[in-house]
Amino acid sequence: MSAFIENFSTVTYILAAALFILALKWLSNPATARRGNLAGEIGMLAAIIGTLIGHHVVRYEWIVIGLVVGALIGAPMAIWMPMTAVPQRTALSHACGALAAALVGTAHYYLFFKPIPHPPTTATMIFLCLEILLGSLTFTGSLMAFGKLQDLLPTRPTVYRGQNVLNFAILGLAVLCAVAVIIQPGWTWLFPCMLFLAATFGVLLILPIGGADMPTVIALLNSYAGLSASMMGFVLDNRLLIIAGALDGASGLILSIIMCKAMNRSFTNVLFGAFGQVSASQGAAEKKNVRSGSAEEAAQIMESAQSVIVIPGYGMAVAQAQHKVRELYDQLSKRGVDVKFAIHPVAGRMPGHMNVLLAEAEIPYDRLIEMDEINGDFPQCDVALVVGANDVVNPAARHDRSSPIFGMPILDADKARTVMAIKRTMNPGFAGIENELYFAENCMMLFGDAKAVIASVARELAENN
Ligand code: NAP
């Protein structure tokens, strides 16, 4: 019987690992993303069943309590949290995962001494300390990221003299404590010191990071949480946890590298550059005029256009305008206008945000074109329709060395013959900086909620049909 249980557990682990890998592969393409999600869910279920059966659990009451409490918190979060709040929800999930790893590691450490002392090996202590260091700093760092994204904490970077020196000193002390505990596992008083220092470092690490760099940091924290879980796998001798944690760690790291490339930023710059600060020159910005237009004018221009490139951004998500955008797409396509969608890798508030929304509105995938591919089309394009995007179309990123977003690749909307920008006010976007595109001669502002404006333009087009 026990051989059967062992084999069953091994098979479920192999199945789960394969499903996790397939999930990552499928999730990387909008056309297969739903399948990827399902594969990940089934993989996780297989992992839980395999672990519960394979570890000869005799008492289930604590597991059931944990399951019920977790479900009571998680299910409402998944059902009622708006799509725009997914980044902060993700940060919260990382915080929970990292806290779990840190707690399991702590419990495991103290069990080496009570009730029956059995000293750990050096290798176990190395993995355990890495688990605690990564778990604690990810826990507090993710909570900070959550606070910033939820506007509970200031999104602007908090910087002060000697910040990096202090941060490195705290991290160095935490690592020193870890080394001492590895050499002398019996120095139990040092263990909470290491935990506390790592947790403090997590807070200090996120303080100087501004809003615009949050996507990269969330991906990085994802990677840390995964690595912490992987270390926990070594401590608990659970191979699936090692594999799943390593996949999480590697994919988080790859994602943060992709995001850094998309924003033309280096890792060190993201972590220590205090990006997102409002530039000093901004307060002194001179008064400039913008040209404001109506839905009727917009419809007339689009009607006579041959090509329209729609640039969705965070505002489209806030307004939930994707279905109205689909109506506009249908109206224009019916007239033979070539309509494409330009996707910036950090548009919105999470990787793939725009792809998800446009897929929900059933806009064909082949109409969604990535930034590098579509930028060459703007000079021949009649209308660039900016729907609630701001930072990702700010030309200052190309030429203004004093701008905090200088160097970030942008969508070249300003090169289109006519630009139409939909937003409610002249307020800045996430990076907190003014957008010179709105003052350009070829730009017409369509002020209002994105859903209402697009609906009016689509209605005008339908009526003129
Ligand atoms: P953005 O720069 O944040 O600008 C969004 C614009 O949408 C704002 O200017 C806002 O102007 C407008 N808006 C808001 N609600 C609206 C509504 N109901 N109707 C119409 N317009 C509305 O957005 P983005 O161009 O998509 O750039 C994304 C930014 O977020 C980047 O700085 C990126 O680094 C950062 N970020 C990205 C991620 C990610 O993973 N994608 C995660 C976190 C942060 P009004 O208020 O005047 O309407």
Side-chain angles (χ1 to χ4, degrees), residues 87 149 211-216 259 263 275 312-316 318-320 344-354 387-393 405 408 422-431 438 447-451:
L149 288 168
D213 272 339
M214 246 352 132
T216 320
M259 313 265 340
M263 295 155 96
F275 186 59
Y314 177 62
M316 184 183 82
V318 176
Q320 285 294 296
H344 190 285
V346 292
R349 290 292 181 273
M350 60 177 175
H353 202 168
M354 297 301 116
V387 186
N390 191 338
D391 295 341
V392 300
V393 288
I405 61 165
M408 172 172 129
I422 304 175
K423 71 199 295 292
R424 298 162 306 178
T425 62
M426 284 305 285
N427 286 345
F430 201 68
Y438 306 143
F447 286 113
D449 175 74
K451 190 173 176 179

Side-chain angles (χ1 to χ4, degrees), residues 148-224:
K148 285 199 172 202
L149 288 168
Q150 189 62 36
D151 276 334
L152 299 174
L153 297 170
T155 23
R156 301 262 154 77
T158 307
V159 282
Y160 49 85
R161 197 180 286 272
Q163 190 166 32
N164 286 340
V165 176
L166 177 73
N167 291 3
F168 277 121
I170 299 233
L171 179 65
L173 273 178
V175 173
L176 269 182
C177 287
V179 172
V181 175
I182 290 166
I183 298 168
Q184 283 295 341
W187 289 358
T188 46
W189 57 274
L190 257 183
F191 195 83
C193 297
M194 167 179 72
L195 208 144
F196 177 75
L197 285 166
T200 309
F201 176 71
V203 174
L204 298 178
L205 181 76
I206 305 300
L207 269 185
I209 298 172
D213 272 339
M214 246 352 132
T216 320
V217 172
I218 297 265
L220 206 60
L221 289 169
N222 176 26
S223 175
Y224 292 164

Side-chain angles (χ1 to χ4, degrees), residues 47-59:
I48 293 171
I49 293 173
T51 305
L52 290 182
I53 292 179
H55 281 73
H56 312 283
V57 176
V58 280
R59 294 182 58 187

Side-chain angles (χ1 to χ4, degrees), residues 113 145 174 225 315 341 346 350 389 414 456:
F113 307 100
F341 293 81
V346 292
M350 60 177 175
D414 56 322
S456 313

Side-chain angles (χ1 to χ4, degrees), residues 350-419:
M350 60 177 175
H353 202 168
M354 297 301 116
N355 300 66
V356 172
L357 293 175
L358 296 174
E360 188 194 310
E362 297 188 349
I363 286 166
Y365 298 130
D366 63 354
R367 297 278 98 191
L368 276 50
I369 320 281
E370 300 292 332
M371 176 175 65
D372 292 338
E373 216 178 307
I374 201 155
N375 262 347
D377 293 357
F378 280 106
Q380 297 90 46
C381 150
D382 296 313
V383 178
L385 178 65
V386 182
V387 186
N390 191 338
D391 295 341
V392 300
V393 288
N394 191 342
R398 281 200 307 258
H399 64 81
D400 181 358
R401 291 189 169 271
S402 69
S403 170
I405 61 165
F406 177 70
M408 172 172 129
I410 56 154
L411 288 163
D412 295 335
D414 56 322
K415 295 188 178 163
R417 282 181 200 116
T418 303
V419 181

